[in-house]
Amino acid sequence: MIRNCTAGRILTSMERSMTGNTAETFSVQTQEPPGRTDAMRPKPDHGETTYKGSGRLNGKKALITGGDSGIGRAVAIAFAREGADVAIAYYNEHDDAQETASWVEQAGRKAILLSGDVADRQHCLMLIQRTVDEFGGIDILVNNAAHQKSIEKLDDIDEAEWDTTFRTNIYSMFFLSQAAVPHMKQGASIINTTSINADSPSAHLLAYATTKGAIANFTAGLGELLAPQGIRVNAVAPGPIWTPLIPSTMPPEAVRTFGQNTPMGRAGQPAEVAPPYVLLASDEASYITAAIIPVTGGRPML
């Protein structure tokens, strides 16, 4: 952290971004996929020291895929501080997952860690069953896990890459939602992570952007389908957010200028994305379903 001389206090990375402080910028950096939080410079802000809960999710039971880092970690911290127990599903980033679980437990809530590949249907079924068995039910499903690869030409995507992207990003949402709904009661919430790419696709993220468009349509259709049961289905559409996915899947120059194409001129922090998930998970969103909330730094989704 750096000191803001005018205010005379230490600012978090999120506060620096919000006040336009550019002293801390993204350095050229690369990682092997899926990336690790500790290797990122600067470190993302997940709300560890800033998010304050107010009991909006007291007693609720949540499963978050991709919950080990990035947006998933920020949502897990926020949910826990709002009173929810959290099942953290992740691929193989055990160190990141343990860190997220520790924040949930520090909030006085129960955390369970569930490692594996959401591209596999049987694993998705296990995730729901373990959550139900450990917590006694499931009230909130956050479908957040994602895979992306940056390309230069169409031939950079082979069949295996296309399949991996679709199975991870959209098939998993179908598998998990189908398994979760029988355990959900009226007032339950499914929240999907789509993207600005659903509305303004990046050619260099062709497979990823295509799945994000599919997620937007899946959200709208499933929201209408489940409305009579009192189960709400919504999505959050982030713009450029500083997560391990960025240095581990994007070219170095794209990392250096990441987020500068937004009207706000910067990337967002995971902590800035978590509040819409809290709203959509809470009873305050009782009349919101089949909706998408953009968190894009000013890039419109119309």
Side-chain angles (χ1 to χ4, degrees), residues 46-48 51 72-82 100 103-104 107:
H46 308 94
E48 291 95 337
Y51 192 91
R73 177 182 291 183
V75 173
I77 290 171
F79 277 13
R81 292 183 185 174
E82 294 290 354
T100 302
W103 286 109
V104 171

Side-chain angles (χ1 to χ4, degrees), residues 39-106:
M40 297 176 69
R41 298 292 182 271
K43 294 287 185 62
D45 185 343
H46 308 94
E48 291 95 337
T49 63
T50 56
Y51 192 91
K52 309 297 182 186
S54 57
R56 298 161 76 187
L57 303 178
N58 276 345
K60 293 189 182 292
K61 305 160 182 65
L63 168 64
I64 303 171
T65 67
D68 57 293
S69 63
I71 293 171
R73 177 182 291 183
V75 173
I77 290 171
F79 277 13
R81 292 183 185 174
E82 294 290 354
D85 294 327
V86 183
I88 300 159
Y90 66 102
Y91 185 44
N92 62 5
E93 309 90 329
H94 303 296
D95 50 348
D96 273 347
Q98 290 284 354
E99 175 73 11
T100 302
S102 73
W103 286 109
V104 171
E105 290 166 348
Q106 286 177 48

Side-chain angles (χ1 to χ4, degrees), residues 5-293:
C5 296
T6 302
R9 67 186 183 88
I10 298 295
L11 297 182
T12 67
S13 60
M14 185 173 72
E15 287 174 317
R16 290 199 301 281
S17 295
M18 292 172 68
T19 56
N21 190 320
T22 57
E24 191 171 72
T25 58
F26 299 127
S27 59
V28 174
Q29 56 194 284
T30 59
Q31 293 191 43
E32 289 298 314
R36 296 294 189 275
T37 303
D38 281 348
M40 297 176 69
R41 298 292 182 271
K43 294 287 185 62
D45 185 343
H46 308 94
E48 291 95 337
T49 63
T50 56
Y51 192 91
K52 309 297 182 186
S54 57
R56 298 161 76 187
L57 303 178
N58 276 345
K60 293 189 182 292
K61 305 160 182 65
L63 168 64
I64 303 171
T65 67
D68 57 293
S69 63
I71 293 171
R73 177 182 291 183
V75 173
I77 290 171
F79 277 13
R81 292 183 185 174
E82 294 290 354
D85 294 327
V86 183
I88 300 159
Y90 66 102
Y91 185 44
N92 62 5
E93 309 90 329
H94 303 296
D95 50 348
D96 273 347
Q98 290 284 354
E99 175 73 11
T100 302
S102 73
W103 286 109
V104 171
E105 290 166 348
Q106 286 177 48
R109 307 310 307 176
K110 185 175 181 180
I112 56 173
L113 294 176
L114 303 169
S115 175
D117 190 355
V118 294
D120 178 73
R121 180 176 180 271
Q122 290 303 315
H123 179 68
C124 290
L125 300 183
M126 182 277 291
L127 291 178
I128 298 300
Q129 194 59 55
R130 281 285 307 278
T131 302
V132 171
D133 290 345
E134 294 278 348
F135 293 160
I138 181 169
D139 304 297
I140 306 161
L141 169 62
V142 177
N143 287 310
N144 174 68
H147 170 84
Q148 74 174 31
K149 179 183 178 181
S150 183
I151 64 162
E152 293 299 324
K153 56 186 185 300
L154 185 60
D155 287 347
D156 290 340
I157 307 174
D158 59 19
E159 183 177 355
E161 175 65 21
W162 190 262
D163 284 347
T164 295
T165 308
F166 268 78
R167 292 192 69 86
T168 303
N169 297 7
I170 182 67
Y171 275 45
S172 65
M173 294 193 180
F174 168 67
F175 297 149
L176 288 158
S177 299
Q178 192 176 55
V181 165
H183 300 283
M184 288 181 155
K185 300 176 182 177
Q186 185 168 348
S189 177
I190 297 173
I191 309 169
N192 302 321
T193 302
T194 180
S195 169
I196 184 67
N197 276 275
D199 185 74
S200 180
S202 167
H204 297 290
L205 295 172
L206 180 61
Y208 172 87
T210 304
T211 64
K212 292 301 178 175
I215 291 165
N217 280 275
F218 177 71
T219 299
L222 189 62
E224 184 175 349
L225 188 66
L226 297 183
Q229 297 174 238
I231 299 172
R232 296 176 294 103
V233 185
N234 296 288
V236 177
I241 306 298
W242 185 234
T243 74
L245 202 63
I246 306 311
S248 68
T249 64
M250 296 183 68
E253 181 59 24
V255 173
R256 189 182 68 80
T257 60
F258 184 63
Q260 293 180 11
N261 64 339
T262 66
M264 286 188 173
R266 65 173 179 87
Q269 292 292 331
E272 296 178 278
V273 191
Y277 288 85
V278 173
L279 168 65
L280 293 173
S282 75
D283 296 337
E284 296 169 19
S286 58
Y287 200 56
I288 302 175
T289 197
I292 296 175
I293 299 180

